Amino acid sequence: MELYHLRTFVAVAEEKHLTRAAERLFTSQPAISAHIKALEETLGVTLFDRTPKGMRLTPVGEELLPRARQALAAASAVMQHAKGLQDELIGSVRIGLNTDARFLRLTALQAGLAAHYPRLEVAMLTGSTGTNLPAVRVGKLDAAFVTGEIDDPSLSVCFLCDEPLVIGAPASLREQISSTEVAELARLPWVYTSPDCSHFAAMRAIFEAHCCEPTRMLIANQEDALVEMIRAGVGLGIVRAGVFAADEQAYELPVALPSVPLQFVYQRKRENDPLIRAVMHQLCAVWEIAPPDALARQAG
Amino acid sequence: MELYHLRTFVAVAEEKHLTRAAERLFTSQPAISAHIKALEETLGVTLFDRTPKGMRLTPVGEELLPRARQALAAASAVMQHAKGLQDELIGSVRIGLNTDARFLRLTALQAGLAAHYPRLEVAMLTGSTGTNLPAVRVGKLDAAFVTGEIDDPSLSVCFLCDEPLVIGAPASLREQISSTEVAELARLPWVYTSPDCSHFAAMRAIFEAHCCEPTRMLIANQEDALVEMIRAGVGLGIVRAGVFAADEQAYELPVALPSVPLQFVYQRKRENDPLIRAVMHQLCAVWEIAPPDALARQAG
DNA sequence: TTCGCCCGTTCGGAAATTGTGATGGCGTCG
DNA sequence: CGACGCCATCACAATTTCCGAACGGGCGAA
């Protein structure tokens, strides 16, 4: 028994004529006849009395009709519910963070996602560039903010902005910093970041260029920890420009550092995943950038 | 969308493997794959995530699964309900009566039908042989009791018993009845039956044999009316033997009359109608006769 | 009564759908 | 790094479904 048997059953019961039911169902009358016959055989009952004027439901057919309608309605409910769901994202998305919420404009992103996809659970999970990248690769995260150049063909990368870096110094060390020569700065205590942080690469770049090695004091791979260490006077460190804008405990040294790009990454193979597309769409709106080709292709 | 799509959907969701679902459904894995693909296309949603380990429901699939189960259950309910109905008679049967209930053994018939077909509504409708026959022919009655020989090829006839007929006379006329000569009796007042009654034929037969015509006093085509008229002294009449067995107001004359057969008729073309078969089955049990060939063929 | 009409059934052949087995890509596990 | 398991795809075969035509029965009009 298939749904078309039931559809035909109901149509014939309502039209009371095979011919009219066939017209309603856009098929031929013998086809309808066969449907009814097959249904009657599988059910083992007689659904209609054949009269010269048409088809009349038997008492058994009368009793079965509402159930058939119910089955059709249930099937229709599946379709209808699917239609309602087909452009709606449900489930959850996990986004890895690598720095503070304001800089990443998280509230705007969250607002955009919540407005367009009210049933989507958004998880924004603290982390760092170094922890985010493998998490995205293995699927623990759907997407993540990272800094620095990414050279992984399995990942799609969306450039958001350049982060100018500066050397931050605690106010307590101001007197010991007589010049901004790298070689001299290297002799002071430094708060390191872990090697998987893009700031680490920037740091290495400048010191290697001057053939010197800074004094390691501490490693912090969480940005606010790094900032707090510097403000506490533990040592110098590389931070995003503006972090110490109106800070009394730390200040920025006027040393030219290369900037690193803030980027958003996700698995390239999920380029067309509606979830990724939706997140990217909102992200691009928040950052006022054009969506990548892969996104623009289909989405409005 | 058809039911097999939903069946496959549920099977795959439960087995989490196309291959295993294919085994469960006794088909091949590509077929299952095609079902899911087609269903996803018609619904416009992705139901499963394809992983190297198998199929995992997406949140959308998770949400649709219970509805699909519900639709399958509804379809299954149609089948199950039909199975329950397939040997059960529902609706109503209309049986025409032509004489009193006790003689027709109606209570036993009703009891048998009610016991075997509790949902069958039985209507036993008063009438006479003359009114019952055309009613059966045009379908106003499903079957009827009649008396007398029936010669209609469109009707099936089942013989039940012979009704011995007698001439009933009111006690008040006893003194005027000096002999049982037909010629003499004909001069007395008679309560006639209408021409469509088998008693009428019996009456005509005896008077024609003696070349005389009875005196008509009244016509009654309902048997109890006839009986009451005789008892009230209106005249003589032909009744079933035994009607006046212990009656003080009427008695039976010792005149030899031919007996007429009590029969049960229904449309021949409905010989295999389950309703007719059921009624005949019960009827034959009540009357302790062998069912006709057409009945014995299939029914137990 | 007979003719014409309407309706459902049946039949053979055509068309569409569905199913099958083999193949390939992809990822994982030993 | 090779073997295995899983799903997607393809060409082709089997089945089902569908269609047009012819048939038979019942009804109503002439």
Side-chain angles (χ1 to χ4, degrees), chain B residues 16-34:
Chain B
K16 298 186 172 60
H17 289 267
L18 289 194
T19 316
R20 263 185 263 161
E23 284 171 16
R24 190 213 276 195
L25 298 173
F26 303 104
T27 181
S28 67
Q29 174 265 327
I32 299 299
S33 180

Side-chain angles (χ1 to χ4, degrees), chain B residues 165 167 182 186 190-214 216 238 257-258 260:
Chain B
L165 297 181
I167 295 174
V182 171
W190 280 75
V191 180
Y192 255 54
T193 59
S194 64
D196 55 25
C197 175
S198 61
H199 294 198
F200 179 85
M203 186 183 297
R204 264 189 53 177
I206 54 173
F207 286 116
E208 277 184 356
H210 293 79
C211 297
C212 55
E213 188 77 5
R216 299 193 187 188
I238 293 188
L257 291 186
V260 292

Side-chain angles (χ1 to χ4, degrees), chain A residues 189-210:
Chain A
W190 281 75
V191 181
Y192 255 54
T193 60
S194 64
D196 55 27
C197 175
S198 61
H199 295 196
F200 180 84
M203 186 184 295
R204 264 189 53 179
I206 54 173
F207 286 116
E208 276 184 356
H210 293 78

